[in-house]
Structure formats: structure tokens, C-alpha cells
Amino acid sequence: MEHRYTSFSRRITTIYPSNSIRPRNLILDGKTLIEVSKHPSGATLPYIAVSYTWDSNLEYEKWCGRKVTRQALDIVAQLSIHTPLALWIDAICIDQDDTAAKNSELPKMADIYRNAVGVVCLVSSITEKTGPIVRQGAAMVKHAASHALAQAGDRYGRIMFATLGAHSAVETLFAHRWWERAWTFQEAALNPRTWLVSEAGDTIPLTDVLDIAVPIRDRAASVAQAAGLRPILGRPSAFWDSVVGIADPRAFEGAFPLGSAMGCVWRRQASREHDLVYALIGVCGLANAIVTSYDTPFDAVLRDLYDAAGLKGDYTWLMWTAYMESVKRGTGMGLVPTPQMVMSTAYTSLTIWRSRTDITFDQELAGAERGVRIPFR
């Protein structure tokens, strides 16, 4: 199939996974659901992982012995026409009615996307104009004239270069709710072979999209007003922070500082508040340190998250305490930021936060079992 921008099936080559962590199930030929551990080629079977947003009103049906969404089946049918590779899609490959299976697969989500030979992100707002505009904008960002504008501090000029004069196709691209979902941050950040794909098959390398997002973020950070932050291309500056964070190589390496990950993922939305935590542990390298369970009270999930990060020497989450009203008022209500607090904070960062690993605990504080450990002198 010849796409207007490029064909993802021609860009994805057979690259075998880099480690042994594999999905439990994969879909072959769009027709068969296999258990990877029992398949003859399961240990090396290449697959494409799919990122998408679930429909608001889901329809279910039985397929290969389990209840799956009609939406996921339609996606599999469409993609299977264009690639011989196996597919992984959550609504089918994770048994949604099996709580134990879900809790087992959640910590593996990051590796499922890392080890895919490619990731396809379904973004229906892409039109036939989007690919050429993004391609030209990405080229302009790399042009010497754009670098000269950056050196001069001309953020307005840079955004005009990147978006070809704030072209409507760019605004339409970023208007899609795929950019707003918590899980899609991880799904897009963990594999360098990631493409955005429209319903018509137009395919755009995610790297090009992120190239034009950086000047947009920089411009959005420079237009703060007393009443808040002015939207750029219909989105506030916190949104652009979240988008640009996808390009940070530390996320791909599983070494994204927790404070930065919170600023990206907690500016997004999730059907369950637990997912706001589970969707960032993969990029922070905390998947093996967190026991995933939707039955655990959310306060306990947050405590486990901050404790697990602290054991790695990552206390970057403390940067958010400066924006907590309880701290400002001195009410003694605690130092633990919540997703709601991060979402409501009009904070834009152009700083790369780095963690220190040389902090140790000399003693245990009284009552530490009830709270989150933080470094102290």
C-alpha cells in the first residue's frame, strides 16, 4: 500500500526483541490468538504494538474464547491487511475479565512496547495535508536559519518555522485525544520505531512530530500571563510539556526522573486513577518495584511510588511540593503531591531535572511506616 507520507509496513524491519520479557498473547494473521510461551517461535516472534484511544461507548463480542472490544477487532482487521507481522493490542491480548492476568501484564507494558519491532499510534485527526506539513516543519526546525532564531531568543520566529505559519493541519493533529491519555505517553516514548497512522493509512514518523513540538513548547512557555498561560494552537503550555517529554531519551532507557514523568503523565487523563501511576512506572524504571493492583487504595499506591523512587535515589518528585497550597500555608498537611494537584498547576519547565544517587538514610524517622521517606539531615 502506498501512503501519502510513508508506509509503516516498509519502515518496520524484522528486529528481534532485546530482552526476554514477552507479551503473554499475540495475534497472528489477524485471526489467531496465541499464547507466546507455548508457540514454537514465541521467544523471537516479531510483533507490532498498537497504541490507540478506547472508544467511549464500547461494544463487546466473543473472539478466540475471550470477550474483546469490537473496536480492537476492527483495528486488527485493518492492520493485518498491510503487515505479515504479529500484532499486540491491549483489549485483545490482555484478558480484560481476568484480574490476575491484568495485574501480571501491567508491569510488563513498558517492555511490550520497547521490544516491539515497531509501534503504530492510531490518530484519526491526521489528514492528507498533515504529513507534508509536518515533514516540511521538521526540516525547517533543523535549518540553519531556525538555529539562528534560537540563538537570538526568537521563539515566535521558531514556531512559525516549525508550523509553517501556524498551519491549521498542525492544530488539528494535536487536537486528537490520543495526546491526552495517560497510557499513550509511555506507549509513544519507549520505542524509536514509532509512527502516527491515520484511518486512511497516512503515516508520519513520531520523531518528525516531536521535532516541531519543541519550538511550540518553547513559545508556549514564554507567553505566561497573570491569569494563566495562553493556549498555543488551542493547547496550554502544560500540554506541550507533556508532548515534548515523549522525546526525552531517558524515558526510552527507563531512567526518566519521576518528577518529570509526573509533569507529563499527570497532565493527561485516565479512566482509573491507578493508571496515572501504572502508566509512568515503565519510563521511570520502577515497574519491578511496584505491585500493581486496582484493589490497593490509591493513597497506598502513591506511597509505594514515592518510596520506590526514593530507594533509587530519585527525589525529583519533591519539586512539585513547592506548588502545594498546604505547604505554602504551612498547614502541615504533608508533602505528597497528587495527580489532581499536578494537573491544576500552571507550571512549565524548560529545565532538565536530574536525580542524585549519593543520598543515604542514616536513621529511620518515627512514624516512617505511615508516610513517604524523604532525604534529611
Side-chain angles (χ1 to χ4, degrees), residues 202-223:
D202 300 281
T203 306
I204 305 173
L206 179 63
T207 51
D208 283 359
V209 178
L210 298 178
D211 281 344
I212 70 171
V214 172
I216 301 174
R217 187 278 309 272
D218 293 350
R219 173 60 178 169
S222 69
V223 292

Side-chain angles (χ1 to χ4, degrees), residues 122-203:
L122 304 182
V123 181
S124 60
S125 63
I126 294 173
T127 70
E128 62 181 15
K129 296 180 180 179
T130 310
I133 294 297
V134 169
R135 180 174 64 241
Q136 294 175 49
M140 292 295 287
V141 168
K142 298 179 178 71
H143 195 276
S146 180
H147 292 302
L149 290 174
Q151 290 292 325
D154 187 351
R155 292 191 173 104
Y156 179 78
R158 282 263 291 171
I159 192 176
M160 289 296 102
F161 269 47
T163 63
L164 304 190
H167 197 285
S168 60
V170 177
E171 183 170 352
T172 300
L173 167 64
F174 287 108
H176 197 275
R177 68 189 187 98
W178 180 85
W179 300 99
E180 302 171 358
R181 306 303 295 172
W183 280 107
T184 56
F185 178 86
Q186 173 179 274
E187 293 162 5
L190 294 175
N191 195 310
R193 301 173 297 278
T194 299
W195 289 266
L196 305 186
V197 180
S198 76
E199 291 179 347
D202 300 281
T203 306

